Amino acid sequence: MKHRLGEQQEKDVCLLQEDNEDCFLALAMTDGAYVTINSSSKTASEVHLLSCANPDQPLKLVQPRTANLEYFVSHSQGQLYILTNANGAANYQLMTAPLHTPCSAHWRPLVPEQLGTAVEDLEVYASHAVLYERQQGRPAVSVLNLLAQASKAAESQQHAAGVFQDSPAALTSKQQQTAHVAVEECNAVPTSQCQQHELEQKKQHQQQQQAGATTAERPQAAQQPQLTTLSFPSWALSIQPGANPDHHTRTVRLHVASPVHPQHVYDYHLDTGQLQLLGAEQLHGHDPEQYVCQVQYVKAADGTQVPLTVLHKKGMPLNGSHPALLTVYGAYGISLETGFEPERLVLLDRGWVIALAHVRGGGELGRRWHAAGRSLHKMNSLTDLEACLDHLLQQGYSRKGLVGVQAASAGGLLVGALLNRRPHDLLAAILRVPFVDFLTSMTQPELPLTVHEYGEWGDPADPAVLQQMRELCPYQNIKTAEYPPVLATCSATDPRVPVWGPAKWVAKSRQHQIGPSPILLLSSSDTGHYAHEADLLENSALEYAFLIDAFQKKHHINAK
């Protein structure tokens, strides 16, 4: 809705109404010239532009929604910069198009998809574009000088024109008219032609794949953009953009950390290429050099190498005597965060091992990694988690019965399933607003988010999808067993995970518990899906106290 300040709300105008149940609408500002109205499902995008200078003008559609085409739009100085998976670029490429001809028929590659690199986000400024990436799974930042790129493109066009014709004046009058008509036709490509262009692009990509070439493997064009990849300390496992609201900025603020290194603040100077350290968070008595933090690779059941971030006190003997906490998420293409959380020191300084499992379904290794752990491939996420658990046991980090597991929301599905499969191998489980009754949720399309979620979990109308949901669903597969201590949370105001899901799961788990360990449910009436920021440390204290208590009781029993 468009509301003019000072006018009655009854005069508001509907700009766009999205009737597709699997799509969400979101607004974003570009360089101050346009607002983007983004209509997105899990697998396709459609973007409209609203002029800030002339908000009464009709919306400008960039590209009509096309199956499996995702794109995100930024604007600067009359050019659109489009982050997209077009032409099979699963890990995204950066393309550009003129504002007056925005449809995909006019998209031109600026930064092609690179082998081993996944683009996660894009910020466009007046002179530069900043790409936030994953290179071989590690966070990275690359910068493109747009002014230099535009100058090279102009030189290339002039050279091409010079090869074809020494001077524009050499064109005959008829040739000039023909050229003028061609430009007009190009600037008014109808939607149907855009769609036809998409089909041609897809057909060309399929032919290239059949010929044994992929986007990343194709020879690069002669004129390649000069990307500058910033050099950070080798320990940097988390790189986040700071507040960079000025489109004409000359510096870009960045926050860098690791699981054992507190946040470092950098400014990157666009004009000079200097990366300047401004300062770092100081934590009294904390020395990152007293800890080990490694990214290891674990062989999954099908041979896939799964990243596992492991941290512990330096010098700790790997003799299997230590408790461990294994954390997982693995959904929606979201990477499990590897930044600094000071509350983890409570466990690390007590001799715990902490491991972060970057299983398929997450985004650590790009969009293909996500695709390999969603819908009909969701079982890969669970078997990856099991492989990470086995790795901790086999390498002497811990032993059976001493590994706690932790997850939130969609990650709770994996922890719930692991509890059903291997309850005796676990010390305890913590599940924050877990998606543990997902079969019931996904078979009720009348729920607010169900249809939208088909792109992630699959449509149960497909018998193969329904069968896998039954096999994975934690609630459906609870069995009579001796379960470890469990702490689950839920909220009556959670719009994503209905409160009855965790409540039903806890009740049924208690019915089938034959051991002495408690299965607890901590409910809230007002926190929603995410805890209040003011409560985060208190929640962590409760969870870690629960884990430490479980370990002490286990240790006491074993000592008898």
Side-chain angles (χ1 to χ4, degrees):
M1 302 295 290
K2 180 177 66 178
H3 173 77
R4 190 176 297 277
L5 294 178
E7 291 189 354
Q8 297 296 317
Q9 187 174 353
E10 292 76 14
K11 295 183 179 181
D12 288 0
V13 177
C14 180
L15 292 174
L16 182 66
Q17 178 174 318
E18 179 56 78
D19 295 321
N20 291 328
E21 289 186 277
D22 62 341
C23 293
F24 272 88
L25 288 177
L27 301 179
M29 179 67 75
T30 61
D31 56 350
Y34 289 92
V35 172
T36 61
I37 303 177
N38 307 281
S39 175
S40 303
S41 70
K42 297 295 185 186
T43 58
S45 311
E46 184 172 273
V47 179
H48 292 79
L49 301 178
L50 172 66
S51 171
C52 295
N54 300 290
D56 292 329
Q57 288 184 349
L59 298 179
K60 178 186 285 288
L61 174 62
V62 176
Q63 165 65 25
R65 184 180 293 112
T66 304
N68 299 316
L69 174 65
E70 299 173 273
Y71 70 98
F72 309 90
V73 178
S74 297
H75 171 268
S76 182
Q77 302 184 44
Q79 284 292 117
L80 298 182
Y81 295 92
I82 304 158
L83 195 62
T84 177
N85 66 347
N87 307 328
N91 283 331
Y92 291 137
Q93 61 177 317
L94 179 60
M95 306 185 82
T96 184
L99 177 63
H100 60 278
T101 54
C103 80
S104 62
H106 297 277
W107 295 1
R108 297 293 176 263
L110 189 58
V111 180
E113 182 184 19
Q114 306 294 316
L115 184 64
T117 297
V119 183
E120 293 189 317
D121 202 359
L122 168 71
E123 288 184 342
V124 175
Y125 303 100
S127 60
H128 292 74
V130 180
L131 288 83
Y132 296 90
E133 304 169 322
R134 290 266 173 179
Q135 295 183 2
Q136 304 299 334
R138 295 180 66 96
V141 177
S142 295
V143 179
L144 176 66
N145 188 324
L146 297 178
L147 300 181
Q149 190 65 26
S151 177
K152 288 182 180 180
E155 291 176 3
S156 177
Q157 290 175 354
Q158 290 175 356
H159 175 73
V163 171
F164 179 70
Q165 221 30 287
D166 290 335
S167 169
L171 289 173
T172 66
S173 175
K174 183 176 181 180
Q175 287 173 327
Q176 291 175 354
Q177 291 175 357
T178 302
H180 179 70
V181 170
V183 170
E184 286 185 341
E185 290 176 347
C186 183
N187 290 344
V189 177
T191 299
S192 59
Q193 189 170 337
C194 288
Q195 293 170 338
Q196 179 62 32
H197 178 78
E198 285 292 325
L199 293 174
E200 293 172 356
Q201 292 283 338
K202 290 179 181 178
K203 182 177 180 181
Q204 180 182 4
H205 176 66
Q206 290 172 351
Q207 291 173 344
Q208 289 168 335
Q209 285 186 317
Q210 291 171 357
T214 66
T215 302
E217 296 167 343
R218 287 196 294 270
Q220 296 183 344
Q223 292 293 332
Q224 282 296 302
Q226 295 299 312
L227 280 177
T228 300
T229 299
L230 308 193
S231 180
F232 292 100
S234 59
W235 50 257
L237 291 179
S238 173
I239 303 174
Q240 301 292 336
N244 299 298
D246 183 4
H247 181 68
H248 297 278
T249 186
R250 309 313 310 154
T251 60
V252 176
R253 179 66 50 88
L254 300 164
H255 298 157
V256 180
S258 86
V260 298
H261 291 82
Q263 180 174 275
H264 288 53
V265 181
Y266 288 85
D267 268 356
Y268 178 72
H269 296 265
L270 296 172
D271 293 329
T272 64
Q274 178 192 8
L275 185 63
Q276 178 186 9
L277 176 63
L278 300 181
E281 279 185 322
Q282 299 297 320
L283 193 63
H284 179 71
H286 174 66
D287 180 8
E289 297 303 317
Q290 296 302 310
Y291 303 88
V292 173
C293 180
Q294 299 175 330
V295 179
Q296 303 176 5
Y297 286 86
V298 177
K299 189 175 182 180
D302 61 359
T304 299
Q305 296 294 312
V306 180
L308 179 70
T309 302
V310 180
L311 44 150
H312 58 81
K313 269 280 201 176
K314 186 174 290 185
M316 189 182 76
L318 302 183
N319 57 11
S321 64
H322 301 279
L325 177 60
L326 178 61
T327 301
V328 68
Y329 185 70
Y332 300 109
I334 297 174
S335 300
L336 187 61
E337 183 53 48
T338 48
F340 184 70
E341 297 181 13
E343 60 269 26
R344 286 178 176 153
L345 298 177
V346 170
L347 296 182
L348 292 174
D349 290 344
R350 282 175 165 82
W352 285 62
V353 176
I354 293 179
L356 310 175
H358 307 288
V359 303
R360 281 173 282 186
E364 288 83 354
L365 294 175
R367 301 290 287 180
R368 293 181 179 89
W369 191 251
H370 171 215
R374 74 177 185 184
S375 191
L376 281 172
H377 304 291
K378 191 61 196 172
M379 189 64 73
N380 288 335
S381 303
L382 178 56
T383 55
D384 287 356
L385 178 60
E386 287 193 275
C388 290
L389 171 61
D390 289 335
H391 179 81
L392 295 177
L393 304 179
Q394 294 164 4
Q395 298 302 313
Y397 288 107
S398 190
R399 69 169 183 264
K400 288 185 177 182
L402 291 187
V403 180
V405 284
Q406 179 187 55
S409 192
L413 184 154
L414 301 180
V415 168
L418 186 65
L419 278 167
N420 289 334
R421 290 163 74 114
R422 301 176 61 171
H424 299 291
D425 291 344
L426 303 177
L427 170 68
I430 295 173
L431 301 94
R432 304 171 185 162
V433 290
F435 195 33
V436 283
D437 190 17
F438 93 110
L439 178 62
T440 301
S441 295
M442 294 308 298
T443 52
Q444 295 188 32
E446 66 274 12
L447 293 177
L449 298 178
T450 297
V451 175
H452 178 73
E453 294 293 328
Y454 287 166
E456 179 69 22
W457 307 103
D459 186 346
D462 181 340
V465 171
L466 182 61
Q467 179 60 31
Q468 181 180 250
M469 287 182 174
R470 286 173 173 155
E471 293 174 0
L472 267 174
C473 182
Y475 179 79
Q476 297 294 329
N477 290 282
I478 292 173
K479 59 185 179 182
T480 299
E482 183 174 347
Y483 288 102
V486 173
L487 174 61
T489 68
C490 64
S491 174
T493 55
D494 190 337
R496 296 172 182 264
V497 176
V499 64
W500 44 259
K504 285 173 56 182
W505 177 77
V506 165
K508 187 175 180 180
S509 297
R510 288 171 176 171
Q511 292 173 353
H512 289 76
Q513 169 69 295
I514 59 173
S517 297
I519 299 177
L520 306 178
L521 179 66
L522 180 61
S523 61
S524 166
S525 61
D526 61 354
T527 55
H529 193 63
Y530 303 100
H532 296 152
E533 187 173 355
D535 297 333
L536 292 179
L537 288 180
E538 183 177 340
N539 292 345
S540 294
L542 174 65
E543 293 169 358
Y544 290 172
F546 182 78
L547 289 170
I548 292 169
D549 180 70
F551 172 64
Q552 290 176 341
K553 289 178 177 177
K554 188 91 171 183
H555 183 72
H556 177 72
I557 292 173
N558 291 340
K560 287 184 178 181

